[in-house]
Amino acid sequence: MWGAVTRTYLDHAATSPLLPEVDAAMAPWRGRPGNPSSVHQEGRRAADALEAARADVARLLGRPDAGIVFCSGATEANHTAVRGLVAQGHQRIAAAGIEHPSVHEALRMAGAEVVALRVGADGVIRISEVGATALVCMAVNHETGVIQPVEQAFATGLPVHVDATAAAGRIPLALAEATSVALTAHKLGGPVGIGALSLRDGGAFPALVGGAQERGRRGGTTDVIGAIGFAAACALALRRVEELGAERARLDEHLRRGLRALGAEPVGAWERTAPGTTCATFPGLLGETVVQAMDLAGFAISSGAACASGSVGPSPVLAAMGHPEPRAGVRVSLGPSTTVGEVDAFLAALGAFLARARPDAYSS
Ligand code: PMP
């Protein structure tokens, strides 16, 4: 509820609200001084909390504690990882067009030669080595929710950077073989502005330099309270991923049956998605039109389209999939708090809008 207007938030893939358990874990640290690099008691207490947080984040990924580098989020983690690959001599890097823009920008800025991996209409990356010496492969796509073949990427034997941002908390992760993994807290009910780059070990890696923090791999005072919240979200995700996944998958089914009945067409293979994310088109309508109408009706969803200088452009993800209408995508993403009543109310409002907008094509 915002004021007197009831709002329903169905955009958990963009950001998911802070979980109450996460808020409670952070509460005792609010207003407390503590720079983990300081030698006094306050500093040592912060350093201990930071190490405990590192262990929780590492556990969610099934990767070593020493390899966790806290940073501002997945954008920074992707940039650092790509810069690291290039600095280690990997000039030709394979990546698909459906990767997050931070990966594409990082590749461009690092001067890498990008070998484009093909993506099927199902939204799945077709892994191939194509003369590259390293690969980037996301675990789950942020717009379609489609799970990606990271095991096939590992099977190439090449170094692989995995962006696990849209996967964490939604599917169990098995990423021990990745060279590096990017993660952000706010997609799994943690605070905004903290994330991690997970490396294989505590060894050196090109980083944001200028301070000795994070074993010299990421300068700048570490956000301890953010890391504590992030860790609490990771611990909850690890404990609840199966249970919440099954619950969300049931809601997905319900939502998708309703969407199909309203004339929606799936984007990507709905049977291959991580629980909670559904992408569809409504033939003849721009994604943005549907998003705006639903916003007016009290529902927050997303078009997944890139917003550049105030104008809504085609989605690079849908374009890379060869979708004929890359401006038509609509993403509905559910969270741990979403109820069947909310999904039903959304479908009813959507049906009413479609019948108004295109009475020739849709009926409610
Ligand atoms: N990768 C993916 C797949 C994402 O969805 C996002 C956020 N939309 C990011 C990276 C960047 O995360 P952040 O904004 O927290 O840096």
Side-chain angles (χ1 to χ4, degrees):
M1 288 278 281
W2 277 265
V5 184
T6 301
R7 301 277 311 168
T8 301
Y9 188 76
L10 300 174
D11 199 14
H12 288 261
T15 193
S16 200
L18 201 70
L19 292 166
E21 296 91 336
V22 171
D23 203 21
M26 291 165 73
W29 291 85
R30 279 198 191 97
R32 249 206 217 181
N35 182 332
S37 306
S38 306
V39 294
H40 46 61
Q41 248 189 58
E42 286 80 355
R44 289 202 306 278
R45 212 179 305 132
D48 288 348
L50 191 63
E51 291 320 303
R54 204 182 300 284
D56 279 334
V57 175
R59 209 168 295 124
L60 176 68
L61 299 175
R63 293 172 60 86
D65 299 8
I68 299 292
V69 180
F70 285 115
C71 61
S72 63
T75 298
E76 184 184 331
N78 282 334
H79 272 265
T80 308
V82 166
R83 197 145 44 93
L85 287 174
V86 173
Q88 287 169 349
H90 299 289
Q91 278 300 325
R92 270 175 76 82
I93 301 179
I98 64 168
E99 293 291 336
H100 189 261
S102 58
V103 167
H104 295 301
E105 276 304 298
L107 288 164
R108 191 186 61 75
M109 289 172 72
E113 188 186 333
V114 181
V115 188
L117 293 175
R118 224 167 51 73
V119 183
D122 54 5
V124 180
I125 299 171
R126 304 296 190 254
I127 300 291
S128 78
E129 295 178 31
V130 285
T133 66
L135 283 159
V136 178
C137 181
M138 64 195 338
V140 166
N141 182 262
H142 48 295
E143 287 188 28
T144 61
V146 171
I147 298 172
Q148 302 301 324
V150 286
E151 311 77 24
Q152 284 176 28
F154 299 150
T156 63
L158 300 179
V160 181
H161 170 62
V162 177
D163 181 352
T165 303
R170 289 170 173 81
I171 54 169
L173 301 173
L175 301 174
E177 289 177 71
T179 305
S180 53
V181 179
L183 205 61
T184 197
H186 68 101
K187 308 272 185 185
L188 54 148
V192 182
I194 182 132
L197 174 65
S198 161
L199 303 172
R200 277 212 173 109
D201 51 41
F205 203 81
L208 202 59
V209 285
Q213 291 93 347
E214 300 296 281
R215 294 172 195 249
R217 293 170 305 182
R218 203 268 190 181
T221 307
T222 312
D223 175 5
V224 176
I225 188 167
I228 289 167
F230 184 15
C234 287
L236 277 171
L238 188 60
R239 225 174 34 242
R240 300 202 302 210
V241 69
E242 307 272 357
E243 168 208 339
L244 282 181
E247 213 171 286
R248 263 185 256 185
R250 268 195 301 278
L251 277 183
D252 283 346
E253 265 308 298
H254 186 69
L255 170 69
R256 291 169 185 184
R257 224 175 298 125
L259 289 174
R260 280 188 199 276
L262 291 172
E265 288 182 2
V267 174
W270 277 1
E271 66 281 5
R272 279 204 52 142
T273 62
T277 301
T278 296
C279 189
T281 59
F282 297 89
L285 290 171
L286 287 177
E288 210 50 29
T289 308
V290 179
V291 169
Q292 281 167 10
M294 288 301 96
D295 187 35
L296 282 175
F299 299 89
I301 59 168
S302 159
S303 69
C307 238
S309 35
S311 67
V312 177
S315 152
V317 171
L318 269 62
M321 289 165 60
H323 196 283
E325 304 274 5
R327 296 182 65 185
V330 172
R331 181 184 68 187
V332 184
S333 51
L334 317 181
S337 55
T338 309
T339 64
V340 69
E342 287 177 324
V343 172
D344 283 338
F346 169 71
L347 288 168
L350 180 63
F353 160 69
L354 292 172
R356 255 190 344 266
R358 296 281 317 274
D360 51 321
Y362 301 101
S363 58
S364 59

